[in-house]
Amino acid sequence: MGRASTTRGAPAVTHLRIHPSILSADFARLGEELAAISTADAAHIDVMDNHFVPNLTWGPPVVQRLREVSPVPFDVHLMIEDADRWAPRYAEIGCESVTFHAEAAIAPIKLARQLRSNGAQAGMALRPATPVEPYLDLLAGGELDLLLVMTVEPGFGGQAFLEVTLPKIRRAAQALLGSQVPVALQVDGGITEETIARAAEAGADVFVAGSAVYGAQDPAEAIAALRRSAARS
Ligand code: DX5
Ligand code: ZN
């Protein structure tokens, strides 16, 4: 049923969350594409700057307008350099959760606090080859609401899930059981009905899926199928 604990360490069942990524949506119909995932827990918004990753998407004005029409909260994933400068803006414009990359933030503790004081949950992401161990104290110390373990190299949708990240997900899940506040463990990249089961078994509880949702005939049915598969493990 996914990783779970209370702040006192007693077992509890957490809610498994499905966050479709609009990177795989039809960009000419983004409002309708958001309406099509109203059964999801949030929409995953990939912000890319063509420097941190070799791809470019949207910035604050577009994200702000999309948030106004979205039926679900926004989970923003910033694949940008200079995260310290730009991340707080996404909290100011009403995004419920803002995730910066550990590799791009100069002062992650200050940044996480700033995001929270601007009313957003604070998330930190790790590229597939970035170890989690240097960040364990930060995670245990209650500074973050979410850890994102990338399960593909960030930059593009539709890539294959990197199995090599599973031990890191497992170690992170174990470490998060002892944290002072609940920290969600998100995976992003190559999540399908098949790989979601392995990620859930390893301890992830928030699942980003782009092509698996927007590549399906019926996005709502794809979300339901992902939920069933994650809950089974
Ligand atoms: C990749 C993005 C992902 C992407 C996932 O850099 O961070 O959110 O949209 O797409 P799929 O689910 O197709 O791998
Ligand atoms: Zn993403």
Side-chain angles (χ1 to χ4, degrees):
M1 292 302 290
R3 178 183 52 86
S5 83
T6 67
T7 44
R8 289 190 206 91
V13 175
T14 51
H15 178 49
L16 300 171
R17 291 185 265 160
I18 307 292
H19 293 190
S21 164
I22 63 165
L23 190 63
S24 295
D26 178 352
F27 292 169
R29 303 168 43 252
L30 283 174
E32 293 155 62
E33 294 281 67
L34 283 166
I37 58 158
S38 61
T39 56
D41 299 280
H44 183 83
I45 312 297
D46 290 302
V47 176
M48 307 187 186
D49 67 352
N50 214 18
H51 292 273
F52 185 75
V53 289
N55 199 359
L56 185 66
T57 55
W58 30 63
V62 175
V63 174
Q64 182 171 16
R65 180 67 190 123
L66 290 174
R67 179 64 196 89
E68 285 166 9
V69 302
S70 173
V72 291
F74 270 14
D75 154 36
V76 173
H77 175 197
L78 298 175
M79 285 159 279
I80 60 170
E81 289 182 355
D82 211 355
D84 304 70
R85 179 175 175 194
W86 295 109
R89 183 81 196 112
Y90 291 87
E92 281 167 19
I93 63 176
C95 299
E96 283 79 354
S97 171
V98 180
T99 298
F100 56 85
H101 265 265
E103 304 88 352
I106 306 291
I109 298 172
K110 182 180 170 196
L111 180 54
R113 289 181 180 181
Q114 227 177 323
L115 291 170
R116 283 173 161 182
S117 70
N118 285 355
Q121 296 213 323
M124 189 177 72
L126 305 175
R127 300 182 79 124
T130 303
V132 69
E133 281 69 22
Y135 303 100
L136 291 183
D137 290 343
L138 187 59
L139 290 159
E143 300 287 348
L144 293 161
D145 300 292
L146 178 143
L147 175 70
L148 164 54
V149 173
M150 287 304 298
T151 45
V152 297
E153 285 297 345
F156 299 92
Q159 304 180 72
F161 182 85
L162 294 172
E163 301 285 335
V164 71
T165 60
L166 282 170
K168 179 163 65 174
I169 297 167
R170 227 167 248 127
R171 289 198 306 277
Q174 273 305 315
L176 293 181
L177 286 176
S179 80
Q180 287 177 23
V181 299
V183 182
L185 181 51
Q186 186 179 62
V187 286
D188 179 9
I191 296 297
T192 63
E193 262 183 76
E194 194 246 322
T195 59
I196 197 171
R198 289 208 290 291
E201 187 277 323
D205 50 15
V206 184
F207 307 91
V208 176
S211 42
V213 170
Y214 282 109
Q217 278 294 329
D218 179 351
E221 176 43 37
I223 291 165
L226 287 168
R227 257 192 227 293
R228 284 194 297 271
S229 180
R232 266 198 298 271
S233 39

